[in-house]
């Protein structure tokens, strides 16, 4: 069947290809009814091309469609071969000066914070780089797709609208020229024809709803072929869809994933092809399976012809888009065609049809036509306007469709509003001509129908569906914002009229919010259900900017402002109607004043936080003052209608509610109220909530008698009685009073005083005080920074943003703060300038309570440090604007004085009353404010004016009868010496001092006497100084103590993660100190030459090594026969040094690791934190961990940061991740050394002897398996002193032996990834390998950091290498002797061939250092049977020399010496001559294959450089093996390192001497090495080999500008799903591969599990460990194995020294080289896994992340 179909298809294809586009076009040109002709053509061919089988074949379809369908259209359009026609058009075209590039998902976009009219104006990367904004403050984001570059749009930019590229186009084009003029007339006609037909065809077929019929087309063949089409929705998850499909259409999971991915991307996909019944059956299964919980998936059975025509319809739209790209004229014609009204009148144009059908189209179709709109209608200035009008007229309908649609807004035509409304001229036009503002607001109100009886919004019991709809309807607020974002510079009467009409609608909206969600205090029982509050606040939050913008608009025109004010006032009065009705007013009287007010108690009646109408009025009132309208046109304002008590009533209730909540009176109302109060004050809402309530109080009070206001306030706070009735306060002191009630009252009094402070003190808004916007923002910043130094982003978060997302902070920050750059961790911080501290106001109204107390503490501390008194007096304030000037009188009003006096009296008679220190503190602050006020009045006194502010006089007067209380001043003097008020003394003293200053000021201006005696104060202050000094010292001592205590407890706690560096440092200090005490590491040795190995090895006296167990704290000496001590260690596979990342071990069970390839593709690294334990203590600890973990896993199935089943645990002291332990051993070599009594043989002799020994061993072994072969035994002459039967007694204690096996097995298990098997002969090989590899990594790190070889390793590494080397040297004692002997023989055979070992790697394929270590460490297995008197050291030395020689040959053979380039010195030293001779000698052996080199200088230089790493590694190795201290010369960097190394290693400085000294064997060896076939084929260029010195591996180079990476990633598409954009492009920092992470498409199977692209990549690239950069998130990802991972801060910082994880802030990011180096170092040091473990320990949520799917 399938084959048949295939054949049939091919036959059709062939016939189709015979079609001639030209001929068809000619036919069309002659046709009378073109539409009919074209339709017939399409009806016949489209079904033959599209939808020929179950799966689409896009390439074939495209090819055929171009040939048969589009080709003729192009011919027709051009009237000639389009291959000539289109280029001609393009040339003739005067290109637009608009860029209009449509953004791909993830593409970087740029906006200029200085010049963009609003944040939606963006540039593409190319335009940005060519624009002036590069040098400005810009913001970078990644596009979510859709939207286009605004380059060239003069309305979008205040400056620099063109980039260099698009600027060129502007000069030529006359603005208003009709682009049609550029086209020949006949072409214009043809274009109209063909565009009209094709566009209509596409629109008709896409909006077609019948299933068995086509619009205007005949069904040519009505076959029974259908598709079962699955559509996308936003309800079902990927998993649900995949699962359902597998069941319904019987496909594999992979196919199902494919279907689901396409459905998600394109919006639909056919999942079955066949006859109707077959498809219908699948449909019903899918519907049945998905209809249980939610609404079912949308599935439709469609005839294949319809699907075919729809596919082509989309293709046509794309084609139209590309054709109009050739010419602006064609574009205009298409716009005209699209907007032409059809026969059905209104809404019958093709564009209207598409728009109105939008929500019924699938995603893919929407994308295609939206793109066409963007490249046509929105690119043509004339038609953009016409389109905008169509869009505005359909606005209501489009929004309603969008509400019902479930697709995200980015897939809806409604989303185009951002492209239209943000163009200022269009927005203005739409407001005046289409009444857009009103339309938007009305549409919004229509969709929010839930109201209570008073007509207010009600969200109380709204359903999930309503919540969903509410979320969608919020986008309308966004539209309103776009419309308002650019403010008019000129007002026409029309605009005024339409704006005010919109304002009316807006007031209607706010009226529905005024008083919504009212609360009533719950008494007795706690509320049963938390009431819904979020919806109302969301609404408020979203509207905040709109409300602010409305005010901004009003501020621009006096007429508008006056009208708006009147309208708003009317609505406020409507809202308040009936507020004085009903009950009788009550009369309040105090201090001879009395006032009438209503009876109302916040704690008993309904109260609401939502008062947007009142708050808008408050805002407008301030504008009256700011714009001076209030002073210019008072007669036009309804000021006389204002009733101050009415104005303040609701805001005051709201503030009292906050106070009562704080006093704990509303506890039973639950969290919803607490949350509301929180948001009321929060930076996101406060500007149009809390702040405006304060303004409203200021407004009301400025028009009232302050005494009246204070009495009303007392009454609302329910405190009236306390202050109006003498001695009423005493009631609360009595024992019988409820403590809670006392507390409650105290808090209320404090809150009320705070409110007074705010009303009088908050004058930093322009219009209230005489300040400008800069002063306001400065003050905010000063107060934020008074709490502590802050990072840029923290400050931004603490400040309100305007509609352009600006806080205005940058303009003032330099004036108030200094910037401190970040270090390697942390971020840059702003610190308050010291001179700004005097502006600090403890009662700053935007402080939260926590912030206030933190700021207080910080400021007092600062003052103490500066040796000042600790008073925090109120700062001097700017004067009020005239409209608010009377507010200061509150301070000197009678009722205020009474309140202050009462509280002071409570403090004086402190035992008799309930009062609090906070209360007193606030009174003192108020007194301070009043004094500051008076002082300023006096200082600014002009000649003629009279001082009306006489606070000092009032507080000097004693109280009147009947109670005759002392004056406030007198009470202050009393309190000054009160012992219970120590903390406030400084403040009281400040008040008294200021009082005196004022007195003096008054004296100088008038003649009022001074009452105070100066001397008193002077004396006082000197006494205080002493006291202060003592206090300061005590404080310093306390701080130091605290610091130490803190450090100690930090050690014990999980402090590591926050202060890693400090912690590590401390640990290292600890380490040094313990080692220093117990073990004298570097015995002082005379200046004699130090030699690390060989018979001449420097003898070092043994030192006792005593160590302490971290678990039991017992000390023990490290000895051969005592209990084992162990170090916690972590073994891991590593590819850090790899030169070939693609190599993987195919079958670990059979792999032979004996020889390490020089590409070092996979090594085994061992690390340790250096913490020592008894082996048995560790065992017990580990068993406990294991048991605990098992219990835990049974219960919770949780992951931990370590994998116990794999032997992992955390070091009990430092929590460092470990998976085994290394035993501590004394230097081992000495144990096996015997007396060296004989003459030590030279290399040749030694090789001869060893070869004999080896031969003997082989013979003996053969004999073992083949006994009776005594003939050969006779041939065997055992070398002198060789006793092959001898068995050495193992010198180690049982416990040490056990640990040797434990660590050996662990190395084997991890290194090879196999099951542990202690008997396996490969165990010792792995141990030697790990020793060699670890030394190599450390040598590389030191070399890269340019550090000397010795003396700079941290103790933990030093300890680790010592133990590791000694362990590796001792491990043979627990392995099979014959196996180790066998290894030695094979290893040696690679250099000294024998007949037994064939097929060994050639010397080019052996890493010589690994070979050296293995040889030296396996050698004792043979040597222990040698009693000839040759020392072990001799053997070591000869082995070392032999390997060194081989390495020299290796280097010379692979050297890529270039003779040119380098200046060569003309020396011809001995070394150069010798190396040249050696090279020539090599040439002889290799024939002519070796490149000819004649410069000894170059060769020697090359050899030295090539062999250095090997020598350095060897020096480390022998140092740790034999314990000979390193000569001081190689502990520092300096010249002659080479010579010193050679000397330490017992090598001649002239390395080639090794060959001369051993000339007898030279020929044999070199011959055997060079005659190898592999070597030959290398020299003939047939294969590759590693050359030396190997370069260190680094992480990849990253670009300085982060947007380069974003751009790179946006061009990256998923490698598996043909050209799709990857959602989470992720860059491997090790090899530079870009991966498609965290997505179904790129999951692969690894060891039987599905893993994401990153995890899969780590297995080849990093042996399971990976370092990635998630480009979209700007986040580094560490992965280890399948279950472990963590995120790490990226090495990119903005100018403020902060990272931007998640790219939310959009500040330009640049590479911080130091931080990147730090990451690289983590990698090189193999600390990634450890880093992950620490991160996971610190943050348990990391453990739960599904790392393997990334
Ligand atoms: Zn651009
Ligand atoms: Zn441009
Ligand atoms: Zn700019
Ligand atoms: Zn112990
Ligand atoms: Zn540790
Ligand atoms: Zn992918
Ligand atoms: Zn990689």
């Amino acid at each position: 069947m399938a084959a048949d179909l295939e054949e049939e298809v091919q036959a059709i294809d062939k016939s189709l290809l015979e079609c001639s586009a030209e001929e068809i076009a000619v036919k069309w040109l002659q046709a009378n009814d073109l539409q009919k002709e074209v339709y017939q053509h399409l009806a016949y061919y489209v079904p033959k091309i599209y939808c020929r089988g179950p799966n689409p074949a896009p390439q074939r379809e495209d090819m055929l469609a171009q040939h048969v369908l589009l080709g003729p259209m192009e011919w027709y359009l051009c009237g000639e071969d389009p291959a000539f026609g289109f280029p001609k058009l393009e040339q003739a075209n005067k290109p637009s000066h608009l860029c209009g590039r449509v953004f791909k998902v993830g593409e970087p976009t740029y906006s200029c914070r200085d010049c963009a009219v609003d944040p939606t104006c963006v540039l593409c990367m190319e335009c940005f780089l060519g624009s002036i904004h590069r040098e400005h403050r810009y913001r970078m984001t990644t596009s979510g797709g859709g939207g286009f570059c605004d380059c060239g749009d003069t309305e979008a930019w205040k400056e620099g609208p063109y980039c260099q590229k698009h600027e060129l186009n502007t000069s030529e084009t006359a603005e208003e020229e009709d682009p049609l003029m550029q086209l020949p007339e006949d072409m214009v006609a043809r274009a109209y024809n063909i565009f009209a037909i094709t566009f209509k065809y596409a629109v008709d077929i896409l909006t077609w709803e019948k299933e068995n019929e086509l619009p205007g087309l005949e069904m040519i063949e009505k076959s029974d072929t259908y598709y079962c089409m699955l559509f996308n929705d936003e309800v079902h998850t990927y998993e649900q869809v995949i699962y359902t499909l597998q069941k319904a259409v019987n496909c594999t999971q992979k196919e199902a994933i494919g279907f689901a991915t396409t459905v998600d991307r394109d919006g639909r996909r056919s999942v079955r092809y066949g006859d109707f019944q077959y498809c219908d059956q699948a449909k019903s299964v899918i519907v049945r399976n998905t209809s249980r919980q939610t609404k079912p998936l949308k599935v439709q059975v469609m005839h294949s012809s319809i699907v075919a025509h729809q596919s082509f319809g989309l293709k046509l739209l794309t084609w139209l888009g590309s054709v109009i790209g050739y010419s602006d004229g064609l574009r205009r014609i298409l716009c005209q065609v699209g907007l032409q009204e059809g026969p059905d009148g209104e809404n019958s144009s093709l564009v209207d049809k598409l728009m109105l059908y939008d929500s019924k189209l699938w995603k893919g179709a929407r994308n295609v036509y939206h793109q066409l709109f963007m490249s046509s209608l929105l690119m043509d200035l004339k038609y953009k306007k016409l389109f905008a009008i169509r869009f505005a007229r359909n606005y209501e309908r489009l929004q309603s469709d969008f509400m019902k649609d479930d697709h995200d807004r980015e897939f809806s035509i409604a989303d185009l509003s951002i492209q239209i409304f943000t163009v200022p001229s269009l927005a203005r036009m739409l407001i005046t001509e289409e009444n857009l503002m009103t339309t938007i607001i009305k549409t919004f109100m229509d969709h929010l129908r839930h109201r209570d009886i008073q007509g207010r919004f009600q969200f109380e019991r709204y359903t999930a569906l309503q919540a969903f709809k509410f979320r969608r309807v919020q986008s309308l607020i966004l539209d309103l914002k776009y419309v308002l974002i650019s403010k008019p510079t000129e007002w026409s009467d029309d605009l005024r009229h339409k704006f005010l009409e919109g304002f009316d609608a807006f007031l209607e909206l706010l009226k529905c919010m005024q008083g919504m969600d009212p609360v009533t205090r719950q008494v007795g029982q706690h509320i049963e259900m938390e009431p819904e509050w979020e919806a109302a606040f969301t609404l408020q939050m979203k509207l905040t900017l709109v409300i602010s913008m409305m005010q901004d608009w009003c501020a621009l025109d006096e007429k508008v402002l006056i009208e708006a004010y009147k309208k708003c006032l009317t609505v406020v009065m409507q809202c308040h109607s009936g507020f004085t009705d009903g009950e009788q007013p009550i009369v309040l009287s105090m201090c001879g004043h009395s006032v009438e007010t209503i009876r109302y108690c916040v704690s008993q009646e309904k109260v609401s936080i939502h008062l947007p109408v009142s708050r808008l009025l408050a805002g407008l009132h301030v504008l009256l003052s700011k714009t001076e309208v209030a002073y210019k046109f008072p007669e036009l304002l309804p000021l006389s209608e204002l009733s101050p008590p009415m104005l303040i009533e609701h805001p005051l209730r709201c503030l009292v509610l906050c106070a009562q909540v704080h006093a704990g009176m509303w506890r039973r109302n639950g969290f919803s109220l607490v949350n509301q109060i929180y948001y009321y004050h929060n930076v996101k809402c406060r500007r149009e909530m809390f702040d405006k309530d304060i303004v409203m109080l200021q407004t009301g009070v400025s028009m009232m008698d302050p005494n009246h206001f204070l009495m009303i306030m007392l009454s609302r706070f329910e405190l009236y009685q306390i202050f109006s009735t003498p001695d009423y306060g005493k009631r609360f002191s009595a024992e019988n009073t409820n403590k809670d009630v006392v507390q409650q009252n105290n808090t209320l009094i404090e809150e009320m005083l705070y409110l007074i402070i705010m009303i009088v003190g908050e004058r930093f808004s322009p219009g209230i005080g005489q300040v400008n916007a800069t002063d306001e923002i400065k003050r905010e910043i000063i107060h934020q920074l008074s709490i502590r130094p802050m990072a840029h982003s923290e400050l931004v978060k603490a400040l309100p943003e305007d509609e352009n997302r600006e806080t205005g902070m940058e303009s003032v920050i330099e004036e108030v703060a200094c910037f401190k750059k970040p270090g390697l961790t942390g971020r840059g911080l702003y610190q308050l300038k010291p001179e700004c501290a005097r502006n600090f106001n403890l009662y700053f109204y935007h402080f939260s309570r926590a912030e206030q107390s933190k700021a207080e503490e910080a400021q007092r501390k600062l003052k103490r440090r500066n040796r000042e008194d600790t008073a925090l007096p109120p700062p001097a304030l700017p004067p009020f604007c005239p409209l608010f000037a009377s507010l200061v009188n509150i301070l000197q009003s009678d009722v205020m004085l009474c309140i202050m006096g009462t509280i002071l009296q409570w403090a004086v008679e402190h035992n008799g009353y309930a009062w609090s220190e906070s209360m007193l503190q606030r009174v003192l602050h108020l007194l301070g404010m009043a004094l500051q006020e008076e002082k300023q009045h006096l200082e600014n006194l002009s000649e003629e004016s009279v001082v009306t502010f006489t606070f000092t006089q009032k507080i000097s007067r004693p109280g009147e009868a009947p109670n005759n209380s002392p004056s406030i001043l007198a009470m202050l003097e009393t309190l000054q010496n009160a012992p219970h008020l120590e903390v406030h003394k400084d403040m009281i003293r400040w008040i008294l001092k200021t009082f005196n200053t004022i007195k003096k000021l008054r004296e100088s201006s008038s003649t009022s006497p001074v009452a105070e005696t100066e001397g008193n104060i002077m004396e006082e202050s000197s006494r205080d100084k002493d006291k202060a000094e003592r206090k300061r010292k005590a404080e310093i001592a306390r701080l130091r103590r605290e610091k130490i205590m803190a450090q100690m407890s930090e050690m014990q706690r999980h402090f590591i993660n926050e202060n890693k560096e400090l912690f590590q440092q401390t640990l290292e200090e600890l380490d040094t100190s313990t080692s220093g005490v117990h073990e004298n590491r570097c015995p002082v040795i005379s200046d004699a030459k130090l030699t690390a190995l060989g018979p001449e090895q420097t003898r070092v006296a043994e030192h006792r090594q005593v160590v302490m167990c971290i678990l039991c704290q017992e000390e023990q000496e490290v000895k051969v026969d005592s209990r084992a001590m162990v170090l916690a260690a972590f073994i891991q596979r590593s590819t850090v040094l790899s030169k070939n990342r693609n190599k993987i071990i195919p079958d670990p069970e059979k792999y032979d690791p004996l020889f390490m390839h020089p590409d070092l593709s996979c090594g085994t690294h061992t690390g340790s934190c250096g913490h020592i334990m008894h082996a048995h203590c560790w065992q017990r600890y580990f068993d406990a961990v294991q048991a605990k973990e098992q219990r835990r896993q049974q219960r919770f199935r949780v992951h931990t940061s370590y994998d116990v089943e794999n032997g992992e645990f955390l070091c009990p002291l430092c929590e460092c991740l470990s998976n085994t332990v290394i035993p501590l051993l004394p230097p081992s070599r000495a144990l096996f050394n015997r007396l060296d009594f004989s003459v030590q043989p030279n290399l040749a002799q030694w090789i001869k002897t060893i070869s004999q020994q080896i031969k003997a061993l082989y013979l003996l072994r053969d004999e073992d398996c083949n006994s009776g072969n005594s003939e050969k035994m006779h041939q065997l002459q055992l070398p002198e002193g060789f006793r092959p039967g001898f068995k050495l007694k193992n010198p180690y204690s049982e416990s040490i032996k056990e640990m040797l096996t434990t660590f050996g097995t662990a190395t084997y298990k991890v290194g090879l990834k196999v099951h542990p098997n202690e008997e396996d002969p490969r165990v010792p090989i792995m141990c030697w390998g790990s020793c060699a590899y670890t030394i190599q990594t450390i040598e590389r790190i030191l070399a890269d950091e340019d550090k000397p070889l010795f003396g700079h390793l941290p103790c933990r590494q030093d300890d680790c290498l010592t133990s590791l080397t000694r362990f590796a040297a001792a491990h043979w004692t627990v392995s099979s002797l014959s196996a180790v002997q066998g290894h030695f023989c094979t290893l040696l055979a690679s250099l000294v061939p024998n007949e037994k070992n064939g097929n060994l790697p050639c010397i080019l394929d052996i890493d010589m250092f690994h070979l050296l270590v293995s040889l030296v460490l396996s050698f004792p297995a043979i040597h222990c049977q040698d009693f000839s008197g040759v020392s072990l050291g001799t053997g070591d030395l000869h082995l070392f020399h032999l390997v060194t020689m081989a390495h020299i040959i290796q280097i010379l053979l692979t050297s890529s010496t270039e003779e040119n380039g380098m200046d060569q010195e003309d020396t011809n030293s001995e070394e150069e001559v010798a190396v040249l001779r050696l090279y020539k000698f090599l040439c002889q052996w290799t024939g002519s294959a070796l490149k000819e080199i004649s410069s000894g200088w170059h060769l020697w230089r090359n050899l030295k450089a090539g062999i250095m790493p090997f020598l350095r590694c060897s020096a480390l190795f022998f140092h740790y093996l034999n314990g000979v201290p390193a000569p001081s010369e190689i502990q520092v960097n300096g010249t002659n390192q080479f010579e010193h190394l050679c000397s330490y290693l017992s090598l001649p400085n002239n390395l080639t001497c090794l060959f001369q000294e051993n000339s007898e064997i030279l020929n044999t060896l070199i011959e055997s090495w060079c005659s190898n076939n592999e070597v030959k084929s290398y020299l003939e260029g047939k294969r590759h080999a590693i050359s030396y010195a190997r370069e260190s591996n680094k992480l990849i180079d990253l670009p300085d500008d982060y947007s380069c990476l974003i751009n790179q990633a946006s061009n990256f598409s998923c490698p598996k799903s043909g050209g799709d954009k990857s959602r989470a492009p992720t860059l491997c920092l090790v090899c530079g591969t870009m991966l498609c992470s965290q997505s179904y498409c790129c999951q692969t199977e690894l060891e039987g599990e599905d893993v994401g692209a990153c995890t899969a990549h780590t297995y080849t690239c990093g042996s399971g460990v990976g370092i990635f950069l998630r480009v979209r998130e700007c986040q580094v990802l560490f992965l280890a194995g399948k279950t472990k991972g963590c995120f790490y801060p990226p090495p990119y910082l903005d100018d403020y020294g902060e990272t931007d994880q998640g790219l939310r802030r959009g500040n330009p990011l640049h590479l911080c080289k130091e931080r990147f180096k730090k990451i690289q170092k983590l990698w090189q040091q193999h600390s990634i896994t450890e880093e992950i473990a620490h991160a996971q320990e610190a943050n348990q949520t990391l453990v739960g992340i599904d790392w393997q799917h990334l």
Side-chain angles (χ1 to χ4, degrees), residues 1051-1052 1054 1056 1063 1067 1071 1109-1111 1126-1130 1167-1173 1178 1181-1182 1185 1201-1202 1207-1221 1356 1730 1733-1734 1737:
M1051 281 264 308
Q1052 288 150 7
H1054 296 232
I1056 317 159
F1063 188 68
L1067 278 179
D1071 278 357
C1109 168
I1110 56 165
L1111 288 167
V1126 294
L1127 284 175
F1130 187 72
S1168 167
C1169 62
H1171 292 132
I1172 301 168
M1173 301 164 269
W1178 166 70
Y1181 167 76
F1182 184 68
V1185 170
S1201 61
Y1202 51 98
E1208 290 180 357
F1209 62 98
L1210 301 180
C1211 164
L1213 184 63
C1214 69
E1215 301 202 314
C1216 182
L1217 183 68
S1218 313
N1219 56 9
T1220 187
V1221 287
R1356 56 184 264 187
E1730 187 185 329
H1734 279 319
E1737 274 303 293

Side-chain angles (χ1 to χ4, degrees), residues 1614-1617 1636 1639 1641-1642:
C1614 166
K1616 288 212 177 155
S1617 40
C1636 169
S1639 125
C1641 49
C1642 286

Side-chain angles (χ1 to χ4, degrees), residues 1528-1541:
S1528 52
E1529 292 87 354
I1530 48 179
Q1531 295 189 24
V1532 288
N1533 277 336
T1535 50
N1536 298 336
Q1537 287 292 303
F1538 181 76
E1539 284 74 16
H1540 294 304
L1541 268 179

Side-chain angles (χ1 to χ4, degrees), residues 407-667:
H407 283 58
D408 287 344
R409 191 169 155 97
E410 53 179 306
F411 301 111
S412 165
I413 189 77
D415 200 36
L416 275 191
S417 60
I418 182 174
Q419 309 295 351
I420 298 167
F421 296 167
T422 53
V423 180
S425 61
L426 288 186
R428 208 76 26 84
M429 181 268 288
L430 294 175
I431 290 176
T432 43
E433 288 170 26
E434 301 296 325
N435 208 1
L436 182 62
M437 250 179 90
T438 316
T439 310
I440 297 176
I441 299 167
K442 289 238 158 92
T443 311
F444 179 75
M445 303 258 296
D446 279 351
H447 285 282
L448 266 192
R449 293 229 185 79
H450 272 253
R451 314 280 170 85
D452 64 9
I453 344 157
Q454 282 95 11
R456 293 180 300 220
F457 292 135
Q458 196 175 27
F459 298 101
E460 221 171 283
R461 272 179 287 277
Y462 81 152
T463 60
L465 185 66
Q466 283 165 329
F468 175 76
K469 213 174 138 186
F470 179 58
R471 269 201 300 283
R472 293 178 91 79
V473 82
Q474 286 162 24
S475 62
L476 293 178
I477 301 181
L478 214 60
D479 283 350
L480 190 56
K481 200 178 110 181
Y482 291 148
V483 172
L484 293 171
I485 211 163
S486 86
K487 281 127 208 160
T489 41
E490 271 171 69
W491 290 79
S492 63
D493 278 341
D494 252 357
L495 183 59
R496 280 195 192 99
H497 180 71
K498 286 289 171 12
F499 174 76
L500 285 169
E501 202 179 322
F503 190 79
D504 270 332
F506 192 62
L507 281 173
E508 277 307 303
L509 168 63
L510 296 190
K511 200 173 149 190
C512 296
M513 294 169 66
Q514 180 95 350
M516 65 181 168
D517 281 0
V519 285
T520 316
R521 182 170 168 235
Q522 196 78 14
V523 280
Q525 263 191 338
H526 196 277
I527 46 155
E528 275 166 28
M529 218 174 61
E530 293 281 345
E532 158 63 40
W533 62 276
E534 284 167 64
F537 260 87
T538 309
L539 191 56
Q540 170 69 37
M541 231 181 267
K542 299 261 163 181
L543 278 174
T544 295
L545 280 176
V546 176
I547 298 174
S548 300
M549 283 189 281
M550 286 283 185
Q551 294 170 39
D552 294 345
W553 277 59
C554 293
L556 292 172
D557 186 79
E558 288 167 349
K559 285 185 202 160
V560 171
L561 178 59
I562 293 169
E563 284 312 306
Y565 189 81
K566 283 187 196 159
K567 284 172 189 292
C568 192
L569 182 62
T570 315
V571 177
V572 168
M573 294 206 287
Q574 283 166 16
C575 292
H576 287 242
S577 65
F579 128 93
T580 43
D581 295 356
E583 289 193 57
Q584 281 290 309
I586 52 168
V587 177
L588 308 170
S589 52
M590 260 176 93
C591 314
H593 303 273
S594 62
V595 67
E596 268 189 11
T597 184
I598 53 167
R599 198 186 292 275
Y600 173 88
C601 263
V602 176
S603 64
Q604 286 163 24
E605 280 151 88
K606 274 189 178 178
V607 55
S608 166
I609 294 181
H610 297 284
L611 306 167
V613 186
S614 314
R615 290 167 190 152
L616 180 57
L617 185 69
L620 294 174
H621 191 82
V622 175
L623 289 180
L624 291 181
S625 158
K626 189 181 163 193
T627 59
E628 303 191 344
V629 166
Y631 318 122
K632 283 193 261 179
F633 315 104
E635 71 282 358
L636 296 178
L637 292 169
L639 294 177
S640 58
E641 292 169 35
L642 295 173
S643 148
M646 182 202 79
L647 292 181
I648 63 167
E649 184 62 30
H650 284 93
L652 185 56
R653 286 179 191 179
C654 191
L655 288 159
V656 171
L657 171 68
C658 294
Q660 291 186 347
V661 168
H662 188 232
M665 292 166 66
W666 290 67
R667 278 203 196 105

Side-chain angles (χ1 to χ4, degrees), residues 1491-1511:
K1491 192 168 44 176
E1492 199 156 317
I1493 291 172
S1494 57
S1495 154
W1497 185 85
H1498 275 114
L1499 273 175
W1500 176 243
R1501 236 185 113 263
N1502 226 16
L1503 175 61
K1504 256 171 85 172
I1507 207 164
M1508 243 342 224
F1510 172 78
L1511 295 184

